[in-house]
Amino acid sequence: MNISINLSNPFVLIFLCGTVATFLINHFLEFIDYRARVKNAGSIPEVLQKIPLAAQTFDSEKLKNISAYEDAKYFKFCVSSVFTTALDFALVLFGFYPFIFNFVCNITGFPSTISNSFCAFFLFMLITAVPSFILAIPFSLYSEFVIEKKFGFSNMTIKLWIADTLKSMIISMLLISLLTFIAAVAFVKFQTSWWFILASVLIAFTFIMQVVYPKFIAPLFNKFTPLEDGEAKDKIMAILEKIGFKNGGLFVMDASKRSGHSNAYFSGFGKTKRIVLYDTLLKSLTPDELAAVLGHELGHFKLHHITKRLIIMIPMEFVVTFLLYKMAHLTGLYNAFGFSNITAQNIANVQFIGIFLASMLWGAVSEIISPVSNIFSRKQEYQADSFGAKACGKPDYLITGLIKLNSENLSELIPPKLYVFWNYSHPTLVERIEKLEQVQKDDSF
């Protein structure tokens, strides 16, 4: 079978140029970040030097570990990104995707029935994901059992890693098969309006998972126990009552079984909202600091950040699926990537391939607009910081809590501004402290 890729086709050029641009942008940003670490090694920002806890915490040994940890991740990135980009090129240029499409069509009898369509869609997605999955395994193992172990974060065992991977694969396949079946019905029965149906289903699925994940999926990986009575719980309950936040419970997750990193998160909505604290977080922060950090997270809810994102996300979901619908009807898109047997007469039966190709193009160019979402995210983080500090009456506890978390997680202190602008969804530690101090000076407390 002769599969020809048209290298002069605009769609192929977008993929090739976008993939190269993404590769170069990421490597440039990571390099300037690396150079900044070399230049600033051993330096503590002035704003941190004025805070006794920071001056004590970020000693020479801690600064050395931060640089070494970031360097280890950088060198792994350099190698993995080369292999990943090479694989992306190879799969396209050697006609892997049309070959798999022809293969699944032959063994499923596609496109005669809904069941055949479902089998073809599911097998195509499953098989085409295999190369990337296999390539990711050694880098995942290296990150977990070399880098994370070396710096004292990972408590993972091979047995637990395999169990997690298998569980994740099974859950993913179950969820994907459900969505694929719905998509197959929509493609076959509603060939001109499937985009609206799929957008509606995806939005509903997002909300449903907010309830399903914390109650049924997360417990498959971690143990969740109610937060014990004590000063920490009293402080948290006091701030929840002050803010007027109703929740479905306070839980502690045994995160230390896998990692030493600290975090906290909210899940669910309405009466199902629950607050989850990593057990590592409870060990790292004082009750007052813990309440302040949670006050920050509560700020996202009380300031309606989630609602604002949904207001943008929901209409965008319909816009994106409509654009996918339009692109799925362009025969030039299929022919460009070697699907030479797709014509205007049979294109309605293979629109899922069009969605796949359009998504692949988006993945190649999406890096270019990633700073946009990060700008809004950082703005909301500042607002949540201010809210959390005010909820506690002063910013001191949030500041010391952020210092401890930054130290525990070995996060960089002085990353380049361009790197932060492009990659950071949260402001840096220094930026957050400066903003909190400014809020206090403005007599906002």
Side-chain angles (χ1 to χ4, degrees):
M1 178 177 55
N2 183 25
I3 297 175
S4 176
I5 308 299
N6 186 355
L7 296 178
S8 63
N9 185 283
F11 293 116
V12 176
L13 289 176
I14 290 173
F15 170 78
L16 296 177
C17 294
T19 302
V20 170
T22 296
F23 178 86
L24 294 177
I25 289 172
N26 284 328
H27 274 265
F28 171 73
L29 291 171
E30 294 296 336
F31 177 73
I32 64 171
D33 188 37
Y34 168 72
R35 291 297 302 167
R37 284 196 299 275
V38 173
K39 178 182 178 181
N40 299 320
S43 300
I44 303 177
E46 183 178 351
V47 67
L48 294 181
Q49 293 177 15
K50 300 176 182 177
I51 303 173
L53 175 65
Q56 179 183 355
T57 300
F58 296 109
D59 56 19
S60 59
E61 187 65 26
K62 177 66 68 173
L63 294 175
K64 180 180 178 181
N65 282 339
I66 290 174
S67 293
Y69 181 53
E70 292 296 331
D71 287 349
K73 293 191 294 182
Y74 168 58
F75 297 138
K76 191 219 79 170
F77 160 79
C78 290
V79 177
S80 64
S81 65
V82 170
F83 279 95
T84 301
T85 303
L87 178 64
D88 290 341
F89 275 129
L91 295 179
V92 168
L93 297 178
F94 289 100
F96 175 73
Y97 298 119
F99 174 79
I100 297 301
F101 172 67
N102 291 328
F103 170 74
V104 299
C105 286
N106 289 333
I107 65 174
T108 61
F110 173 81
S112 58
T113 64
I114 290 177
S115 61
N116 288 347
S117 297
F118 163 72
C119 291
F121 301 166
F122 183 76
L123 281 176
F124 179 82
M125 289 189 297
L126 183 64
I127 297 173
T128 54
V130 169
S132 296
F133 175 77
I134 293 175
L135 178 63
I137 289 177
F139 294 108
S140 176
L141 289 171
Y142 182 80
S143 292
E144 187 66 51
F145 293 100
V146 178
I147 297 177
E148 296 296 301
K149 289 281 188 184
K150 178 180 179 181
F151 292 93
F153 289 123
S154 178
N155 298 315
M156 183 76 75
T157 63
I158 288 291
K159 182 180 178 180
L160 183 57
W161 185 88
I162 293 174
D164 282 352
T165 302
L166 291 176
K167 289 178 187 177
S168 298
M169 288 174 59
I170 293 171
I171 293 169
S172 296
M173 284 193 288
L174 288 174
L175 295 176
I176 290 173
S177 62
L178 174 62
L179 292 175
T180 302
F181 179 76
I182 295 173
V185 174
F187 288 140
V188 174
K189 296 295 185 180
F190 307 96
Q191 293 188 352
T192 59
S193 59
W194 60 257
W195 62 272
F196 184 85
I197 296 171
L198 284 190
S200 301
V201 168
L202 289 173
I203 291 169
F205 179 78
T206 301
F207 283 102
I208 291 171
M209 287 301 294
Q210 290 295 312
V211 177
V212 172
Y213 179 82
K215 286 194 173 185
F216 301 104
I217 298 179
L220 296 175
F221 296 89
N222 290 96
K223 182 179 179 180
F224 295 82
T225 56
L227 179 62
E228 295 180 356
D229 293 336
E231 187 179 3
K233 185 174 182 179
D234 292 340
K235 294 284 186 181
I236 293 173
M237 293 303 296
I239 199 169
L240 291 175
E241 185 176 349
K242 180 180 180 179
I243 294 171
F245 182 86
K246 297 181 180 180
N247 66 92
L250 297 169
F251 296 90
V252 178
M253 186 181 88
D254 61 339
S256 58
K257 182 170 67 174
R258 292 176 175 80
S259 173
H261 289 291
S262 301
N263 203 355
Y265 68 88
F266 293 82
S267 61
F269 57 88
K271 294 182 179 180
T272 66
K273 291 196 299 288
R274 54 167 54 185
I275 299 172
V276 177
L277 311 172
Y278 284 24
D279 56 356
T280 50
L281 189 68
L282 291 172
K283 297 174 183 177
S284 301
L285 306 183
T286 67
D288 286 313
E289 291 165 347
L290 187 61
V293 170
L294 284 177
H296 163 93
E297 298 298 335
L298 290 168
H300 287 303
F301 280 91
K302 300 301 288 187
L303 297 173
H304 308 294
H305 290 164
I306 308 300
T307 302
K308 291 174 182 177
R309 291 177 189 178
L310 289 175
I311 290 173
I312 297 174
M313 182 200 79
I314 291 175
M316 281 299 297
E317 194 75 58
F318 287 100
V319 171
V320 169
T321 51
F322 180 72
L323 291 176
L324 289 174
Y325 166 77
K326 286 296 185 181
M327 292 194 70
H329 283 79
L330 300 175
T331 56
L333 175 63
Y334 301 87
N335 297 334
F337 290 96
F339 295 86
S340 56
N341 56 341
I342 307 301
T343 65
Q345 287 70 39
N346 64 6
I347 200 170
N349 296 322
V350 295
Q351 293 180 77
F352 79 98
I353 293 295
I355 294 177
F356 174 82
L357 295 175
S359 300
M360 188 172 67
L361 289 178
W362 170 247
V365 301
S366 59
E367 178 67 29
I368 298 172
I369 67 168
S370 64
V372 176
S373 62
N374 285 335
I375 290 173
F376 290 104
S377 177
R378 289 194 297 269
K379 180 180 179 181
Q380 291 183 340
E381 293 301 325
Y382 281 131
Q383 294 171 348
D385 275 351
S386 178
F387 182 94
K390 292 176 182 177
C392 294
K394 57 181 179 179
D396 300 40
Y397 293 129
L398 182 55
I399 289 174
T400 56
L402 292 173
I403 289 171
K404 289 181 180 180
L405 289 175
N406 195 101
S407 173
E408 291 290 331
N409 291 309
L410 295 181
S411 300
E412 285 189 273
L413 294 180
I414 318 176
K417 291 184 177 180
L418 178 60
Y419 188 85
V420 173
F421 170 78
W422 201 278
N423 287 329
Y424 275 39
S425 61
H426 287 56
T428 64
L429 174 64
V430 170
E431 290 171 332
R432 296 175 76 170
I433 291 176
E434 288 176 339
K435 198 73 169 182
L436 285 168
E437 290 180 343
Q438 186 61 49
V439 170
Q440 190 173 35
K441 289 179 182 178
D442 292 339
D443 296 325
S444 299
F445 288 87

